Amino acid sequence: MKDKYTIGKKVKKNPETWKPNDFDGWGRGEGIGTIVEEIDEKEVDVKWTSGRCHEFIDELILVEE
């Protein structure tokens, strides 16, 4: 699964696995995000409309362009 979540890929939150945190208040997980960094095999850095946040891959869904 990790090889699919690479820099430049578009993602959105997976409503079935999403775990809210304090950053949701500023727009984390809203709309479509872009992966800007691969942290490790389970986590990526996503640029959302309102900022960036580290996200676990299992909380995301790839968006087909």
Side-chain angles (χ1 to χ4, degrees):
M1 177 163 54
K2 168 62 177 158
D3 57 341
K4 295 180 183 179
Y5 290 82
T6 56
I7 294 173
K9 294 287 187 170
K10 303 291 185 190
V11 295
K12 64 181 180 179
K13 73 178 180 182
N14 182 339
E16 294 179 15
T17 59
W18 189 255
K19 295 176 185 82
N21 68 32
D22 292 341
F23 294 110
D24 289 15
W26 57 255
R28 172 186 172 253
E30 292 187 16
I32 304 297
T34 303
I35 296 174
V36 293
E37 183 180 354
E38 298 172 52
I39 310 292
D40 59 30
E41 61 187 40
K42 295 181 181 179
E43 193 172 6
V44 292
D45 191 7
V46 176
K47 170 72 172 87
W48 299 104
T49 304
S50 300
R52 289 171 61 162
C53 196
H54 290 189
E55 306 293 352
F56 289 105
I57 290 171
D58 63 356
E59 295 181 54
L60 301 171
I61 299 172
L62 286 172
V63 174
E64 298 297 324
E65 297 183 56

